[in-house]
Amino acid sequence: MWSILKAVRENPEILYESQRRRGFSVEIVDRAIELDRKWREKLREVNQLRKRRNELARKVKDAKGEERGKIIQEAKAVSEEVKKAEEELKKLEAGLEEVLLSIPNIIHETVPVGKDDAENVPVKYWGKAKVYFEDVDSFVEMTGGMAEYEVTDVKPVGHADAVEIFGWADLERAAKVAGARFYYLLNDLVWLDFALTMYALDYLKKAGFTVVNPPYMMRREAYSGVTAFSDFEEVIYKIEDEDLYLIATSEHPLAAMHMNEVLEERELPLLYAGVSPCFRKEAGAHGKDTKGIFRVHQFNKVEQFVFCLPEESWDWHERLLENAEKLWQGLGIPYRIVNICTGDLGIVAAKKYDLEAWMPAQGKYREMVSCSNCTDWQSYRLNIRFAEERGKPSKGFVHTLNSTAIATTRAITAIIENFQQEDGRVEIPKVLRKYLEPIESAPKDFITPTKTQ
RNA sequence: GCCGGGGUUGCAGAGAGGUACUGCGCCAGCCUUGAGAGCUGGUGCCCGUAAGGGCUCCUGGGUUCAAAUCCCAGCCCCGGCGCCA
């Protein structure tokens, strides 16, 4: 059974606790309990009426003459009653469904309580951060002295300025053509973008993932199964006059891939590495990161996605994070892992880690990877269950997890700030070079400033 | 986009107004030293402690006492034509 419905019926205290820790009202839980009770009551009533209707309908077949007319009269009346009762049931069901689906995922016990991203808890630091001498105090304070660092006396050019000054992207013309938060990526960064994608896909394929290039648009029905309703307004683009939405991440078509399926236990876990462009309205981000290619309406991303047995999902959560870490360690970019607190978690995930890269020019850690265990929150909506074998009764809903591997534009900003030389050249991480090697005109060691035109 | 054929339970196929059938697969029991064969019952979802009942023939509406079956709309698959990187 779906964990939220199970909790509503058998152990509401779990839901109260989860809601309290999120800082949300528990009133919705009480409403769910009440509606569920009413719905079951009404269902009983409806089934009784249906039974009576079926009995009468069966009688009509064999009845003759006057008797027949009488039975049909009665059956008509009962049929009307059934219709009425079914309508009431439908209303209750819709109400119950609406309430149940608006209950956020049940929070895992290891999620820290906090009101916003300032209260996320760093759990790990990796790499030696390059810290500009003026930022050292704040760095030490921010990291609680847990992170290694080296002091630099030159501050690199920030990624947003660098891409324009050094001629790696044209944001002005993109704004003219498509608006703010779009970009023309030019020359070396195009190759770098491809190399990052290839690097991540190659790694994940070797780790046992199936590489997938999914549809970039989805129907509403599938989409509503993978995300919160509010996202439709804030992040997702709709195609005019079509029942189609541009994907905000390949997580979404990957999650929906197996909707209305019963998966066999022995084929689990299913591991997918999705690669696709991502389209986001960023409607809720006014004024944030308006410059450069850090926060944009369109970017490329390699994503990890897992369908697994419920008892294995917490293990997979750690393993997805480990994959992401290995990829970023390979790039040589210092980062930290934060355990996202209740206030910053969102309603889909039961627990989430972010990997935040150190950005020397900004003197801050910035989000590069999000790694979530969605337990059965998505799989219930998408109706993805598992059974011992095809044809056998299902045992329950699978768990789904997703984690960024590499989002290319963000990775590029981190590379620009971490590996910038004094002359503006940017050293290319060694792990990417073999993916650039086959392309004769691609840069191999450094990305070089070139002011085009 | 147009014209035709189709979508039935894990799979294959029947059923063309009277409440889902046959075969295969799977599970349980009987039989057997054991396995197999054979026989019997079962096989999805929901409510119910249970007894039991309801729902389900791609989806949503409609007609009817009664819809897999008739009507309307949509989705998907196959074939043909058109268009097309």
Side-chain angles (χ1 to χ4, degrees):
Chain A
M1 199 188 334
W2 181 35
S3 56
I4 287 182
L5 186 60
K6 192 176 161 74
V8 163
R9 290 195 183 156
E10 295 171 16
N11 194 356
E13 190 45 45
I14 294 175
L15 288 171
Y16 290 143
E17 175 67 10
S18 178
Q19 289 295 94
R20 276 197 291 265
R21 290 179 65 204
R22 280 179 180 275
F24 292 165
S25 157
V26 300
E27 185 260 354
I28 192 168
V29 180
D30 292 325
R31 264 202 303 164
I33 293 169
E34 177 64 8
L35 276 168
D36 181 53
R37 194 184 55 74
K38 278 190 182 158
W39 174 78
R40 285 191 283 175
E41 219 165 74
K42 180 58 83 177
L43 180 64
R44 251 183 150 144
E45 186 189 321
V46 168
N47 279 346
Q48 229 127 73
L49 283 167
R50 281 168 171 166
K51 184 186 175 191
R52 176 110 186 90
R53 178 197 60 191
N54 292 347
E55 281 166 356
L56 286 168
R58 251 181 297 247
K59 266 202 219 163
V60 171
K61 193 173 115 178
D62 303 316
K64 297 266 179 328
E66 209 178 304
E67 179 71 11
R68 188 183 158 90
K70 266 171 80 181
I71 297 173
I72 288 184
Q73 279 311 305
E74 198 187 342
K76 239 182 196 164
V78 174
S79 199
E80 277 308 307
E81 267 186 86
V82 169
K83 235 179 212 168
K84 250 195 221 150
E86 276 180 343
E87 263 165 48
E88 286 166 27
L89 181 70
K90 234 182 183 172
K91 259 187 215 156
L92 279 172
E93 208 166 77
L96 174 63
E97 184 83 346
E98 196 191 322
V99 170
L100 285 176
L101 291 182
S102 65
I103 296 176
N105 204 335
I106 299 167
I107 276 179
H108 192 252
E109 58 196 12
T110 56
V111 174
V113 174
K115 63 177 185 310
D116 57 36
D117 58 0
E119 297 186 56
N120 294 339
V121 176
V123 293
K124 177 177 180 178
Y125 288 89
W126 184 91
K128 201 178 223 182
K130 288 176 187 157
V131 182
Y132 183 55
F133 71 92
E134 285 181 4
D135 295 334
V136 168
D137 287 348
S138 74
F139 181 83
V140 172
E141 197 196 326
M142 182 191 344
T143 60
M146 285 164 66
E148 281 188 76
Y149 64 97
E150 57 185 290
V151 183
T152 60
D153 48 10
V154 180
K155 196 176 213 171
V157 180
H159 66 86
D161 294 328
V163 291
E164 293 208 272
I165 294 170
F166 298 146
W168 294 327
D170 189 336
L171 296 152
E172 233 170 84
R173 290 198 173 95
K176 175 178 70 180
V177 171
R181 294 196 195 280
F182 284 95
Y183 55 90
Y184 287 95
L185 220 54
L186 304 169
N187 295 319
D188 289 1
L189 287 200
V190 177
W191 301 123
L192 190 61
D193 190 291
F194 285 145
L196 284 162
T197 300
M198 303 281 277
Y199 164 60
L201 287 177
D202 195 18
Y203 178 91
L204 291 173
K205 176 71 189 158
K206 283 188 274 197
F209 286 69
T210 300
V211 173
V212 187
N213 189 200
Y216 300 164
M217 299 179 208
M218 295 167 63
R219 293 217 184 103
R220 172 128 202 163
E221 190 208 351
Y223 225 129
S224 57
V226 297
T227 188
F229 182 75
S230 56
D231 283 357
F232 275 94
E233 296 304 314
E234 293 214 339
V235 331
I236 296 163
Y237 285 106
K238 184 179 193 322
I239 304 292
E240 201 177 5
D241 297 328
E242 304 274 350
D243 177 26
L244 286 172
Y245 297 80
L246 286 172
I247 60 171
T249 155
S250 60
E251 173 205 332
H252 296 156
L254 290 176
M257 194 171 170
H258 291 290
M259 75 177 185
N260 297 325
E261 289 184 26
V262 179
L263 304 171
E264 294 193 24
E265 270 181 15
R266 61 182 163 82
E267 66 187 347
L268 295 172
L270 289 170
L271 312 178
Y272 294 110
V275 53
S276 79
C278 304
F279 304 95
R280 299 187 180 181
K281 280 159 87 170
E282 298 290 350
H286 306 289
K288 263 193 192 165
D289 306 302
T290 50
K291 292 184 72 186
I293 57 171
F294 186 83
R295 186 183 297 277
V296 281
H297 288 309
Q298 181 194 321
F299 58 93
N300 299 313
K301 180 160 65 70
V302 175
E303 177 85 0
Q304 311 176 67
F305 197 92
V306 173
F307 298 90
C308 71
L309 294 172
E311 60 268 29
E312 292 175 355
S313 71
W314 292 107
D315 189 38
W316 274 106
H317 192 223
E318 299 298 323
R319 287 161 83 171
L320 293 190
L321 179 66
E322 208 178 296
N323 284 339
E325 286 193 57
K326 285 273 150 55
L327 283 164
W328 286 79
Q329 286 170 13
L331 294 174
I333 293 173
Y335 64 80
R336 68 176 183 187
I337 303 298
V338 298
N339 188 354
I340 301 298
C341 75
T342 52
D344 194 29
L345 187 62
I347 71 170
V348 181
K351 183 180 181 180
K352 176 154 86 175
Y353 292 118
D354 276 5
L355 181 154
E356 299 178 338
W358 173 246
M359 303 292 273
Q362 299 171 53
K364 283 182 196 158
Y365 285 95
R366 298 303 307 268
E367 177 186 341
M368 295 287 147
V369 165
S370 244
C371 178
S372 304
N373 185 354
C374 301
T375 62
D376 61 1
W377 198 93
Q378 283 179 327
S379 58
Y380 171 75
R381 278 145 220 262
L382 292 166
N383 188 27
I384 306 173
R385 290 164 299 162
F386 66 96
E388 205 177 307
E389 255 179 81
R390 216 169 292 285
K392 291 204 174 165
S394 76
K395 289 187 174 174
F397 294 96
V398 299
H399 279 196
T400 63
L401 302 100
N402 65 83
S403 171
T404 319
I406 290 180
T408 58
T409 42
R410 286 237 169 145
I412 287 169
T413 64
I415 289 170
I416 287 173
E417 293 203 6
N418 279 281
F419 303 126
Q420 199 179 115
Q421 317 288 302
E422 282 187 40
D423 58 7
R425 291 186 307 155
V426 171
E427 191 176 1
I428 297 171
K430 294 204 168 54
V431 289
L432 297 180
R433 296 189 190 174
K434 72 171 164 186
Y435 303 101
L436 294 163
E437 205 55 53
I439 298 155
E440 286 177 25
S441 64
K444 306 297 186 307
D445 303 323
F446 290 94
I447 292 166
T448 314
T450 51
K451 197 63 188 168
T452 50
Q453 92 269 311

